[in-house]
Amino acid sequence: MATIKDIAKKAGVSASVVSRALNNKYGVNEKTRAKIIQIAREMEYYPNVLARSLVTRKTETIGVVIADISEPFYSQIIKGMYTVADRVGYTLLFSNSYESLEKTNVLHKMVDSERVDGLVIIGSNIRETDFILNLLKERIPFVLIERNLEDPAVNCIWVENKEGAYQATNYLIKKGHTRIAHISGTQDIQVAIDRLAGYKEALADAKIPFNPEFVRTGYFLHEGGYRAAKELLQMTPRPTAIFAGNDTMAYGALQAISEFGLAIPDEIAVIGFDDLEFSGLTNPPLTTIRQPRFEMGKKAISILLRLLPGEEEASGVKAVFPTQLVVRRSV
Amino acid sequence: MATIKDIAKKAGVSASVVSRALNNKYGVNEKTRAKIIQIAREMEYYPNVLARSLVTRKTETIGVVIADISEPFYSQIIKGMYTVADRVGYTLLFSNSYESLEKTNVLHKMVDSERVDGLVIIGSNIRETDFILNLLKERIPFVLIERNLEDPAVNCIWVENKEGAYQATNYLIKKGHTRIAHISGTQDIQVAIDRLAGYKEALADAKIPFNPEFVRTGYFLHEGGYRAAKELLQMTPRPTAIFAGNDTMAYGALQAISEFGLAIPDEIAVIGFDDLEFSGLTNPPLTTIRQPRFEMGKKAISILLRLLPGEEEASGVKAVFPTQLVVRRSV
DNA sequence: TTGAAAGCGTTACCAG
DNA sequence: CTGGTAACGCTTTCAA
């Protein structure tokens, strides 16, 4: 592996000149620079990023903290993040937190060990608020996705969950449904709380009494949605429509309903939330609320990139994306 | 950020002793060691991995080269890789090659710049063979997934594609089908070639004449499967069964068939390959050939970990996994 | 425009 | 068992 010294020797100059030449800095004779660049190419020189980062204190790497990188929900967010990061030569480093942020040593592994310049945190739950606020104190640049923290200094990206849920429920109401159930996510996640709130509000606005029995938790999981739907189907009178808090749970509901032998949407309607890639392929294709995940991913990196120079931003960016009703055939 | 020197000063010893103490090396008085560890904890010391890697020449990071990290096919492989890597404290660094390996600067970005100790390469195509063989010359530890290179020195992990395809086709034959079509992947990928071969062999063994018209390329894409199926459906006589080269294309075929108004499996049967998470949820649930993707991911990292100490392995590991027929309701 | 020297934080070698 | 010194490859500062 060729180093800067090798090039310096061959070019008959000092290492400092080589460094400046290769980094397009001022104060290098154009001829010398050209010669150095030429030699570097010949020797197939690539800078050792470790050595560079050690002195510059910048890694050009962004840490991404995520519950589970293999969840289909995240795929478009990830793609969006790469789109922006690749363009500016930044690297993304993932940390699957699986359980909670506290338990994982993400901070030490990524930040304290100086591997990343900043963090994107996706989908934290409300018990992790202290952890996040602490990041602020430590002056670590970071942005949150799927979360809106009150603190004005925190950069947040999220969708209008309450409005989207309202939209979904209202669509069901417009279609004539009054016995509308909701399969919710775990209530320690802001997103789940907001969607439940939107559901309730739509009901209230339509003067449909809220029936707590019609709300079941599906933990944002396929299996959970399946089980919740099963319970719902056994009630009398049973709901004629289900608003699932995300598509994954809606898939489970679809499955439960089909096993139960009911026709969708004639006997029972289902609407989801997210619009995963697969939702156009379910049986029947799932009507749902789309979130612009790709755009959210792009936005996260854009914001972070602006933060990285280190100048304290007076206040954080709050980027709220609108949701969109995607009509298919399950309602 | 506390450094080793800060600790040394506080403990009244030299930096070298601190380093040894913290790395559990021999030659440190137990009392001194305990004291140092205590102080390190108090000061919330975390080693700067860049500085460490610079001298040890090891990053404890594995580069993963993959076409598109957000493809659902890869999710379980990735999860498997993390399972093993996390256990030993290794980091995974992804590079989406999107197009071809040559075009991407993966080698320079990851290897030449000394960011990774080794590479896992997933799903390369046959035009990239030279590139891969070159890795061998450069003595870069690497393992291939979804590829079987003849060269005995290359570590390869793959499934029995030909056998799996044979199994799929044969299952169709057993069910009484004789007009069996195949939607294949692009033929510059070994996997696609092997599956086509398995299909042909099953046909031959059953003395069913091979009809080239019954083979269409779907490029391993959903849209491609959809289009290929449409063409197939317009033939007379049309096939009574389709073996899709992967599940994604099978989804497209399912969609095309349902739009065409044919009943599955009564009027036309469909079988896929891969067994993606979603395949139990299609309409009807997709009969397919499972590959143990999670296990393959685990295996890749295990092999690489054994390679990393640097001792030349006499010969590469060839890990072939069996496929398994998953019977659902599309056949 | 150039170069010598210092330094980033760590580990490794060698003497004591 | 301990500590001083050099080294990893690079950037940066300061003088020439």
Side-chain angles (χ1 to χ4, degrees):
Chain A
M1 220 95 304
T3 74
I4 240 175
K5 282 183 191 164
D6 300 327
I7 298 176
K9 195 176 292 172
K10 202 153 196 168
V13 295
S14 76
S16 359
V17 179
V18 175
S19 173
R20 276 181 304 228
L22 262 19
N23 289 306
N24 289 313
K25 298 237 167 133
Y26 291 112
V28 181
N29 179 295
E30 269 317 316
K31 268 192 182 157
T32 320
R33 180 191 303 264
K35 184 175 167 193
I36 288 171
I37 289 173
Q38 167 64 13
I39 292 176
R41 195 168 298 144
E42 276 168 17
M43 301 181 80
E44 301 192 48
Y45 168 78
Y46 289 93
N48 181 319
V49 294
L50 301 177
R52 170 183 292 172
S53 294
L54 190 56
V55 21
T56 61
R57 319 248 80 178
K58 295 174 77 324
T59 60
E60 309 218 317
T61 299
I62 292 171
V64 180
V65 185
I66 201 171
D68 180 352
I69 196 179
S70 55
E71 276 292 314
F73 174 79
Y74 299 123
S75 67
Q76 286 302 313
I77 296 182
I78 293 174
K79 213 164 182 170
M81 292 193 296
Y82 267 115
T83 302
V84 178
D86 281 347
R87 197 156 52 210
V88 293
Y90 267 61
T91 300
L92 259 30
L93 191 56
F94 293 90
S95 170
N96 296 47
S97 60
Y98 295 117
E99 312 186 45
S100 74
L101 278 178
E102 278 102 331
K103 279 187 203 157
T104 177
N105 54 359
V106 53
L107 249 195
H108 311 321
K109 219 179 149 182
M110 289 192 156
V111 179
D112 295 335
S113 58
E114 305 206 30
R115 285 195 144 180
V116 302
D117 297 337
L119 247 29
V120 174
I121 299 172
I122 310 183
S124 54
N125 79 40
I126 56 180
R127 286 190 314 275
E128 296 164 340
T129 306
D130 286 348
F131 174 89
I132 292 169
L133 260 17
N134 189 49
L135 255 31
L136 216 53
K137 274 199 215 106
E138 310 245 9
R139 305 188 166 284
I140 295 157
F142 71 98
V143 9
L144 264 31
I145 295 187
E146 281 257 285
R147 189 80 194 274
N148 173 24
L149 272 198
E150 294 289 336
D151 194 313
V154 180
N155 302 281
C156 301
I157 296 174
W158 74 100
V159 291
E160 295 176 329
N161 286 296
K162 193 174 165 191
E163 290 80 352
Y166 187 99
Q167 204 173 8
T169 313
N170 200 245
Y171 180 65
L172 260 12
I173 295 171
K174 285 266 169 62
K175 289 285 179 182
H177 295 280
T178 53
R179 292 205 305 280
I180 300 171
H182 176 47
I183 303 179
S184 75
T186 2
Q187 295 294 306
D188 60 353
I189 295 179
Q190 192 62 41
V191 162
I193 297 173
D194 291 347
R195 291 181 193 167
L196 175 59
Y199 159 79
K200 282 187 183 175
E201 193 168 301
L203 253 31
D205 284 358
K207 310 245 188 294
I208 299 173
F210 169 69
N211 177 358
E213 287 288 299
F214 271 1
V215 176
R216 308 273 161 157
T217 302
Y219 309 98
F220 279 138
L221 265 26
H222 174 263
E223 184 67 17
Y226 176 84
R227 265 200 283 262
K230 277 225 150 149
E231 290 174 21
L232 255 10
L233 292 172
Q234 265 139 15
M235 296 175 70
T236 35
R238 65 167 169 254
T240 63
I242 296 178
F243 162 43
N246 71 0
D247 280 6
T248 308
M249 294 192 294
Y251 298 163
L254 252 27
Q255 209 177 4
I257 294 167
S258 112
E259 284 177 18
F260 203 80
L262 258 32
I264 309 170
D266 294 339
E267 297 179 276
I268 186 161
V270 176
I271 189 167
F273 203 114
D274 285 348
D275 193 29
L276 299 186
E277 272 75 355
F278 198 79
S279 297
L281 300 175
T282 53
N283 171 35
L286 186 69
T287 294
T288 188
I289 302 292
R290 172 177 301 159
Q291 350 188 3
R293 306 199 299 286
F294 184 78
E295 295 303 324
M296 293 164 76
K298 278 171 63 176
K299 187 77 179 177
I301 303 297
S302 308
I303 294 176
L304 204 47
L305 250 22
R306 227 176 312 132
L307 251 55
L308 289 187
E311 299 121 32
E312 292 289 310
E313 293 280 330
S315 63
V317 179
K318 304 285 182 186
V320 203
F321 286 82
T323 55
Q324 185 197 341
L325 174 69
V326 179
V327 176
R328 293 204 184 90
R329 299 211 304 276
S330 65
V331 175
Chain B
M1 221 96 299
T3 74
I4 241 177
K5 282 181 191 166
D6 300 328
I7 298 176
K9 197 177 293 175
K10 201 154 197 166
V13 296
S14 76
S16 356
V17 180
V18 175
S19 174
R20 275 179 304 223
L22 261 20
N23 290 305
N24 290 313
K25 298 235 167 132
Y26 290 113
V28 181
N29 179 296
E30 268 318 315
K31 266 191 183 159
T32 319
R33 178 191 305 266
K35 185 173 165 196
I36 288 171
I37 289 173
Q38 167 66 12
I39 291 177
R41 193 169 298 146
E42 276 169 16
M43 301 182 81
E44 301 191 52
Y45 167 79
Y46 290 93
N48 181 319
V49 293
L50 301 177
R52 169 184 292 171
S53 294
L54 190 56
V55 21
T56 60
R57 318 250 77 176
K58 295 176 77 319
T59 60
E60 310 217 318
T61 299
I62 292 171
V64 180
V65 184
I66 199 170
D68 180 352
I69 195 179
S70 56
E71 276 293 314
F73 174 79
Y74 299 124
S75 66
Q76 287 302 313
I77 295 182
I78 294 174
K79 212 164 184 169
M81 293 193 296
Y82 267 115
T83 303
V84 178
D86 281 347
R87 197 155 52 212
V88 293
Y90 267 61
T91 301
L92 258 31
L93 190 56
F94 293 90
S95 171
N96 297 45
S97 60
Y98 295 118
E99 313 187 44
S100 74
L101 277 178
E102 278 103 331
K103 280 188 203 158
T104 179
N105 55 359
V106 52
L107 248 195
H108 310 321
K109 219 179 148 182
M110 290 191 156
V111 179
D112 294 336
S113 57
E114 306 205 28
R115 286 196 141 178
V116 303
D117 296 338
L119 247 29
V120 174
I121 298 171
I122 311 182
S124 54
N125 79 41
I126 56 179
R127 285 191 315 276
E128 295 163 341
T129 307
D130 286 348
F131 174 90
I132 292 168
L133 259 19
N134 189 50
L135 255 33
L136 216 54
K137 274 199 215 107
E138 310 244 7
R139 305 189 166 284
I140 295 156
F142 71 96
V143 11
L144 263 31
I145 296 186
E146 282 257 287
R147 189 80 194 275
N148 173 23
L149 273 197
E150 295 290 336
D151 194 312
V154 179
N155 301 281
C156 301
I157 297 173
W158 74 100
V159 291
E160 295 175 330
N161 286 295
K162 192 175 166 190
E163 291 80 353
Y166 187 101
Q167 204 174 8
T169 312
N170 201 247
Y171 180 64
L172 259 13
I173 294 170
K174 284 266 169 61
K175 289 286 179 179
H177 295 281
T178 53
R179 291 205 306 281
I180 301 172
H182 175 47
I183 302 179
S184 76
T186 4
Q187 295 293 307
D188 60 353
I189 295 178
Q190 192 62 41
V191 162
I193 298 172
D194 291 348
R195 291 181 195 168
L196 175 59
Y199 159 79
K200 282 187 185 176
E201 191 168 304
L203 252 31
D205 284 359
K207 310 247 187 293
I208 298 174
F210 169 68
N211 177 358
E213 287 288 301
F214 271 2
V215 176
R216 308 272 161 157
T217 303
Y219 309 98
F220 279 139
L221 265 27
H222 174 263
E223 185 66 17
Y226 175 83
R227 266 201 281 263
K230 277 225 151 152
E231 291 174 18
L232 255 9
L233 292 173
Q234 264 139 15
M235 296 175 70
T236 35
R238 64 166 171 256
T240 63
I242 296 177
F243 162 42
N246 73 358
D247 279 7
T248 307
M249 294 192 295
Y251 298 163
L254 253 27
Q255 211 176 0
I257 294 167
S258 113
E259 283 178 17
F260 203 80
L262 258 32
I264 309 170
D266 295 338
E267 296 179 277
I268 186 161
V270 176
I271 189 167
F273 202 113
D274 283 349
D275 193 29
L276 299 185
E277 272 77 354
F278 198 78
S279 297
L281 300 175
T282 53
N283 172 35
L286 186 70
T287 295
T288 189
I289 302 293
R290 172 177 301 161
Q291 348 188 5
R293 304 200 300 286
F294 184 79
E295 295 303 324
M296 292 164 77
K298 279 172 61 176
K299 187 77 179 179
I301 303 298
S302 308
I303 293 176
L304 204 46
L305 251 21
R306 227 176 312 133
L307 250 55
L308 288 187
E311 300 121 31
E312 292 290 309
E313 293 280 330
S315 64
V317 178
K318 304 285 181 188
V320 203
F321 286 81
T323 55
Q324 185 196 340
L325 174 69
V326 179
V327 175
R328 294 206 182 91
R329 299 212 304 276
S330 65
V331 175

